[in-house]
Amino acid sequence: MSKLARDDEESLIARSQRGDVQAFNQLVLIYQQTLFGAIFRLLGDYDTAADVTQDAFLAAFRGIATFRGGSSFRSWLLRIGSNMACDHWRRVQRRPADSLEALTETDEPQSPEVLQALASSADDPEAHILTQELQGLIQHGLQKLPLDQRVAVVLCDIEGLSYDEVAAATQTTLGTVRSRIARGREKLRNYLTQYRELLPRDYRLSTRTSDD
């Protein structure tokens, strides 16, 4: 983020802390895609993610006076959103099984571990044709991860938070975060290697080499 953008954001935050709803709405416009994307990857359902995202922004507005700028505002929002997504997920798990299955059905997820491979293959016709099916495959892989590992992988590998930021967001130790990310990545990689034909060419080669 440039200094100008950072100064603008700090001004919007300060105004929001004084109760300026219009200023906070500007922050919502800046971060709504980021927050929705993270929550969607955790929950796997667009409508549910939209509802939780809205609730997370409401919670952020109510609690913005507590934001002190020790971390980035983006990280602070992701902490709120991921915590609310986890709370929702746990509530769903206590309901009948069909509710949980409905929550995880989706067609257009995003990828944590092969994002760079997909991005670098954006102009590759083969990769473009396979993207939709691959996206669905990755979302299923994410949903198979235990919730704590899924949160750590999404926040680190998709949203780009540091291990320290993930630890703060999940209120756990750095060692626990490292373990969750390592285990989550391994499980997701093992899941994806069952479907090599859907992976971008470079990723197919890297997974085959790692298995040899």
Side-chain angles (χ1 to χ4, degrees):
M1 180 184 294
S2 68
K3 184 178 184 304
L4 179 59
R6 187 162 53 249
D7 289 344
D8 288 344
E9 180 181 283
E10 290 175 355
S11 174
L12 290 172
I13 292 170
R15 288 167 53 195
S16 298
Q17 290 175 326
R18 295 193 295 268
D20 187 332
V21 176
Q22 293 302 317
F24 188 78
N25 285 341
Q26 289 297 112
L27 292 171
V28 171
L29 291 175
I30 294 170
Y31 288 108
Q32 61 184 356
Q33 287 301 112
T34 295
L35 192 59
F36 172 82
I39 292 172
F40 168 72
R41 289 164 189 134
L42 293 174
L43 298 179
D45 178 80
Y46 280 102
D47 292 337
T48 303
D51 290 341
V52 174
T53 300
Q54 181 177 0
D55 291 343
F57 275 120
L58 288 173
F61 182 67
R62 295 190 188 104
I64 196 168
T66 66
F67 178 71
R68 295 287 181 261
S71 62
S72 73
F73 186 71
R74 177 176 177 274
S75 297
W76 184 75
L77 282 177
L78 287 170
R79 174 172 62 81
I80 294 172
S82 62
N83 286 340
M84 296 188 74
C86 288
D87 289 344
H88 180 86
W89 181 267
R90 295 185 182 104
R91 287 196 300 272
V92 169
Q93 284 188 307
R94 293 195 290 268
R95 299 174 188 170
D98 56 348
S99 296
L100 184 59
E101 291 172 2
L103 180 64
T104 59
E105 289 179 359
T106 184
D107 293 325
E108 297 184 31
Q110 299 293 329
S111 157
E113 202 168 23
V114 298
L115 279 180
Q116 291 184 344
L118 287 174
S120 64
S121 305
D123 297 326
D124 183 339
E126 177 191 6
H128 180 73
I129 292 171
L130 296 176
T131 293
Q132 291 298 328
E133 193 168 358
L134 174 60
Q135 296 273 356
L137 175 65
I138 291 167
Q139 183 65 29
H140 283 295
L142 281 173
Q143 297 301 318
K144 287 179 178 295
L145 298 181
L147 182 60
D148 56 356
Q149 294 176 16
R150 191 189 322 154
V151 171
V153 168
V154 167
L155 291 180
C156 180
D157 289 340
I158 297 181
E159 300 304 332
L161 299 191
S162 68
Y163 282 24
D164 287 332
E165 289 174 321
V166 176
T170 56
Q171 297 182 312
T172 189
T173 65
L174 188 59
T176 298
V177 167
R178 292 183 183 278
S179 175
R180 288 175 178 176
I181 290 174
R183 291 178 181 179
R185 285 172 176 169
E186 181 180 8
K187 289 177 182 177
L188 188 59
R189 183 183 299 110
N190 290 340
Y191 177 80
L192 291 176
T193 55
Q194 302 174 62
Y195 306 92
R196 281 199 183 96
E197 69 278 6
L198 297 179
L199 301 179
R201 187 179 297 105
D202 291 345
Y203 192 80
R204 261 180 268 161
L205 292 171
S206 66
T207 53
R208 184 177 295 113
T209 299
S210 67
D211 290 344
D212 292 342

